[in-house]
Amino acid sequence: MNHSICNTIYNKVSSGTFLYWYAVVALLLPNIALCFTERLSFWAGAANVLLPLALYMWFFSVARCPGKMVWWAFLFVFFAAFQLVLLYLFGTGVIAVDMFLNLVTTNPGEVMELLDNLVPAVVGVFVIYLPLLILAVIHIRKKRQLSVSFQHHVRKWLMEVGAIGLFCLLACYVVVDDYRMRNQLYPVNVCYNLYLAFERNAASENYREVSRNFRFDARSGHDVEAPEVYVMVVGETARAHNFSLYGYPRNTNPLLSKTQGIMAFPDATTQSNTTHKSVPMLLSAASAEDFERLFHEKGILVAFKEAGFHTVFISNQLPNHSFIDFLGEQADEHYFLKKEDALQGNHYDEDLLQKLDEILPKADASSSAHYRYRKLFVVLHTYGSHFNYQERYPRSFAYFKPDSRSEAKSENRRDLLNAYDNTIRYTDYILHGIIERLQKWEGIQTKTDGVYGQPISAMLYTSDHGENIFDDERCLFLHAAPKASDYELHVPFIIWTSEGFSKQYPDILKALGENRSKQVQSSLSAFHTMLGIGGIQTHYRQDEYSVASDKYHPVKLLYLDDHDEAIPQEDAKFLR
C-alpha cells in the first residue's frame, strides 16, 4: 500500500501539470506578499495578483514542455527569489534601482557576510525555487509534456482571469491617486528599475570622458606659503544615535569627548541611505536636488588640487568601479588598501592611520627639508560600522560583550548592538588617532620652521548613512531599504580644528559655533564646508551651504529616492 501511495505521489509530482502550477504559484508569491507589505488598495492588490497570474498562465502554456519554459523564465525566477529575500530583510519595497546597482558595486566578501547571516531567508527561497529548477531539468530530459486539452483549458481560464485583472487595473487609474504600473505592478516595476539601473550604469561608464575638461577654477584664499593639512574622513554606516557625543548613554566616544577643538553637530542627516549615492555627494557638489551634476563634474580632490594642494585618497574598501572610485582616482595619489594587499585578509581602519603616517609631511629638527608637501589634502574612506560588525574591530576593542551572535534575527539584538557599539568606539579611536597625528605635525612645524607662517590643520568627519539594528517594533535591519528610518538618516557630523587654525581663522570658528545647533544635511554641506575650511575659492563653493560660514542657513530636508528624484525626507521614511 505504501509503495502504491509513493507511486501515486511520484506520478503527480512528475507530471507536466504539477510543474506548470508549481511554476505559476512560485512566480506569483512576490505579488501576493507585496499586496500586504505595500498596503495596496483592493483594486491595486487585485490587479497586482490577477494580471501577473494571467501572464504566467499564458507563458507556461506556450510550449508543451513546461520545463523549458521554466528555464526561459529564469530571470523572473531570480527576481522572485531576490524579492522575497528583500522582503524578509526590509519588510517592504520592490527590488529597487539601488539594489540592482548594489549587485555590481558591492564586493563579494560583503555579500557573503550578509548571506551567511540571512539563513532563514536564503534557505526559504532555496526550498521554493531550487526544486522548481531541478524538476524543470528532469521534465526536459524525460520529455514530460502538457496535454493539448490542458493547454486549451488553461488558455480559456487565463482569458477570464486577465479580463478581470484589466478591469481592476482600469479601476486603479480611476480610483487610486497617483497609480503607475511602473511603480506598483510587479514585475513591471522591477523590469523598469532594471532598465533604470542599466541606464545609470551606462552614464557612469562615460563619466571620465564627459568630465575630462571640467575645472573648478579654484585657488587658495590662504597664505600661499603657509603649511596646511586637511583631512576629510568619510565614515561607513555610523549612526549618530550611538555616539555618546550626542547623548547616547554608553561611552562610545571616550577619546573624542576629551579632545579640545571638537565641534559635534547634533542635527545632521544624510540625503541617501545607500553608499554609492551618499559618498559621491559628500565628495562632490552634487546633492539630492541636483544629483545629475555628478555625471559631468569632478570632485573635491580636484578643487584642492587646482588650488595648489597635494591630494591623497585612501580607502579601506575594495574598488567597485563606481563614482567613489572615479572621484578618489582624481587625487594625486590614491590607495585602495584591500586591493593592494588582498592576501592579508581583513584590513581594520587602523591601517588607514599607518598609511597616513607615510603621507603626512615629515619634519624634524635635523631635517633640511621640513616637509614633502607644504599643502596637503587627504580623504580617508573607512570601513567603519559596516555589517558584519564584529569583523570591523580587533578583539582588543570588544568593549561591550557579548558580541558574537551576528545572524540577522531580532532575538540577537543584544549581541548585534554590542558589536555595533564596539565599531563606534573603534571609530572614536581612529578619529582621535588622526587628530593626534595632525597635532604632532603642527607642533613639529611650529618648532622647526618660522619662515612660512603658522601651520594649521583641521579634520571633518561624517558618515555616508546610518543603520537599523532591530530598534523598535518595525524590526528593521541594516540600511538601503526603499524607505528610510531615522536611524539610517541621522548621521554624525564632526569638525576638529587645530589651535593654530582657530587662532588664525577665528571667524570660521565663530561660524562653526553659531551653526552647531542648526539642521545640517551632510550630503549637501560637507563639500562646501570642507572648501570653506580649506580656504578654497571657486564659484562652485556656496557658503550658504557651509557650516563654516556666517552665511549658512538650513534648507528644506530632502532625500534622493530610488529614481534619483529629490523628495521631502518625511515622504521617504518608514511609517510606524
Side-chain angles (χ1 to χ4, degrees):
M1 183 176 178
N2 288 340
H3 182 69
S4 175
I5 293 173
C6 289
N7 281 339
T8 302
I9 294 173
Y10 174 78
N11 289 334
K12 286 184 177 294
V13 169
S14 62
S15 70
T17 303
F18 176 84
L19 181 61
Y20 173 89
W21 288 115
Y22 183 4
V24 170
V25 172
L27 289 189
L28 197 65
L29 286 177
N31 297 81
I32 297 170
L34 288 165
C35 289
F36 298 98
T37 63
E38 307 311 294
R39 301 180 182 180
L40 298 180
S41 68
F42 171 79
W43 295 111
N48 191 54
V49 172
L50 295 178
L51 281 176
L53 173 59
L55 176 65
Y56 299 148
M57 289 173 68
W58 168 79
F59 181 81
F60 289 110
S61 69
V62 168
R64 294 280 309 275
C65 179
K68 291 181 180 179
M69 302 311 294
V70 168
W71 279 98
W72 276 111
F74 178 78
L75 181 63
F76 291 90
V77 173
F78 170 76
F79 285 165
F82 192 9
Q83 182 63 69
L84 292 178
V85 170
L86 289 182
L87 289 178
Y88 173 87
L89 182 59
F90 298 126
T92 186
V94 299
I95 305 171
V97 178
D98 291 331
M99 284 299 164
F100 284 121
L101 292 174
N102 282 341
L103 289 178
V104 296
T105 59
T106 301
N107 74 68
E110 290 180 3
V111 173
M112 292 308 300
E113 282 182 354
L114 179 57
L115 292 180
D116 283 346
N117 293 282
L118 288 176
V119 175
V122 173
V123 170
V125 297
F126 267 96
V127 167
I128 295 170
Y129 296 103
L130 187 58
L132 174 65
L133 297 173
I134 293 173
L135 278 175
V137 172
I138 293 172
H139 277 64
I140 293 170
R141 294 186 65 181
K142 295 191 174 183
K143 299 181 179 180
R144 300 262 167 78
Q145 295 185 335
L146 298 172
S147 66
V148 175
S149 61
F150 179 78
Q151 286 179 301
H152 287 318
H153 283 303
V154 162
R155 288 165 187 170
K156 178 183 176 183
W157 298 333
L158 72 87
M159 292 292 288
E160 295 171 354
V161 172
I164 299 172
L166 286 173
F167 175 80
C168 294
L169 181 64
L170 180 62
C172 287
Y173 282 97
V174 174
V175 176
V176 182
D177 291 337
D178 299 324
Y179 181 85
R180 295 289 184 274
M181 286 178 61
R182 70 183 190 185
N183 294 334
Q184 293 170 286
L185 182 61
Y186 179 94
V188 173
N189 44 18
V190 174
C191 293
Y192 178 67
N193 288 346
L194 181 61
Y195 160 75
L196 291 180
F198 274 113
E199 189 179 59
R200 196 180 298 169
N201 188 63
S204 67
E205 291 288 338
N206 297 324
Y207 170 73
R208 289 187 178 91
E209 182 61 33
V210 173
S211 64
R212 181 187 300 275
N213 297 320
F214 176 84
R215 285 189 58 83
F216 284 98
D217 295 321
R219 61 184 181 85
S220 176
H222 292 174
D223 184 343
V224 175
E225 298 294 333
E228 299 175 87
V229 176
Y230 302 108
V231 179
M232 183 176 184
V233 186
V234 178
E236 173 67 61
T237 322
R239 65 187 200 181
H241 294 77
N242 291 59
F243 278 64
S244 54
L245 283 175
Y246 298 120
Y248 186 56
R250 281 180 158 183
N251 187 16
T252 54
N253 300 125
L255 299 174
L256 291 182
S257 61
K258 299 174 183 177
T259 302
Q260 294 295 317
I262 288 286
M263 291 266 189
F265 292 72
D267 195 8
T269 57
T270 180
Q271 293 184 327
S272 174
N273 62 353
T274 62
T275 299
H276 71 267
K277 285 182 179 178
S278 56
V279 174
M281 285 192 285
L282 293 172
L283 299 180
S284 72
S287 65
E289 202 161 21
D290 52 2
F291 188 68
E292 288 301 313
R293 67 192 300 177
L294 176 66
F295 292 87
H296 56 82
E297 293 184 6
K298 292 180 180 178
I300 194 169
L301 286 152
V302 171
F304 271 88
K305 187 192 297 187
E306 289 181 8
F309 282 74
H310 184 79
T311 57
V312 184
F313 178 80
I314 313 172
S315 175
N316 194 24
Q317 301 200 23
L318 277 171
N320 53 22
H321 199 64
S322 69
F323 273 102
I324 301 173
D325 299 358
F326 303 157
L327 296 172
E329 290 166 359
Q330 292 169 359
D332 293 304
E333 302 177 53
H334 58 271
Y335 304 93
F336 293 89
L337 301 185
K338 285 181 166 31
K339 178 183 178 182
E340 294 172 8
D341 203 7
L343 296 178
Q344 293 298 317
N346 188 29
H347 277 266
Y348 296 118
D349 283 338
E350 191 169 0
D351 293 343
L352 293 170
L353 298 182
Q354 296 175 11
K355 198 68 178 177
L356 185 62
D357 286 335
E358 299 174 17
I359 299 299
L360 269 177
K362 301 297 190 296
D364 59 64
S366 62
S367 174
S368 58
H370 296 308
Y371 30 71
R372 285 154 49 192
Y373 313 109
R374 190 164 298 141
K375 295 182 182 295
L376 180 67
F377 176 60
V378 182
V379 173
L380 302 177
H381 189 197
T382 72
Y383 215 179
S385 302
H386 197 288
F387 186 81
N388 185 355
Y389 313 132
Q390 61 176 291
E391 300 293 330
R392 303 298 164 244
Y393 52 89
R395 293 316 299 166
S396 59
F397 278 82
Y399 183 83
F400 301 105
K401 297 179 180 179
D403 62 344
S404 58
R405 292 184 177 182
S406 59
E407 192 174 348
K409 295 180 179 179
S410 58
E411 54 264 35
N412 292 338
R413 184 176 189 272
R414 179 194 63 182
D415 286 46
L416 291 167
L417 186 63
N418 285 340
Y420 185 83
D421 284 345
N422 288 335
T423 69
I424 302 300
R425 274 183 73 100
Y426 189 54
T427 295
D428 178 79
Y429 166 77
I430 298 300
L431 295 178
H432 183 261
I434 295 168
I435 293 170
E436 277 190 325
R437 284 158 172 77
L438 294 177
Q439 288 174 325
K440 182 179 179 181
W441 167 81
E442 192 169 309
I444 293 174
Q445 295 294 331
T446 301
K447 289 178 182 178
T448 61
D449 199 337
V451 177
Y452 297 109
Q454 172 69 47
I456 57 176
S457 58
M459 180 196 75
L460 184 152
Y461 165 78
T462 190
S463 182
D464 53 358
H465 50 71
E467 185 85 320
N468 297 298
I469 316 174
F470 300 111
D471 299 286
D472 50 42
E473 67 278 2
R474 296 172 294 181
C475 285
L476 304 176
F477 189 54
L478 301 183
H479 58 270
K483 290 281 188 177
S485 71
D486 285 326
Y487 296 102
E488 292 172 88
L489 297 180
H490 192 190
V491 294
F493 195 88
I494 299 168
I495 295 172
W496 171 83
T497 53
S498 70
E499 205 172 317
F501 184 97
S502 301
K503 288 178 180 177
Q504 195 155 343
Y505 298 102
D507 52 335
I508 289 182
L509 196 68
K510 180 182 177 183
L512 289 172
E514 291 175 345
N515 294 326
R516 190 174 180 178
S517 60
K518 298 177 182 178
Q519 280 186 339
V520 178
Q521 294 182 79
S522 59
S523 313
L524 177 65
S525 290
F527 173 85
H528 303 283
T529 298
M530 197 71 250
L531 291 182
I533 290 173
I536 308 302
Q537 295 183 353
T538 167
H539 64 278
Y540 288 90
R541 179 179 125 192
Q542 295 178 264
D543 284 343
E544 62 268 29
Y545 299 147
S546 168
V547 296
S549 170
D550 56 9
K551 297 178 182 178
Y552 174 78
H553 61 85
V555 295
K556 185 177 181 180
L557 295 179
L558 296 176
Y559 179 83
L560 188 66
D561 74 3
D562 187 54
H563 292 172
D564 288 352
E565 296 177 359
I567 61 175
Q569 277 195 10
E570 287 303 315
D571 294 347
K573 291 182 181 179
F574 273 104
L575 297 176
R576 280 188 177 272

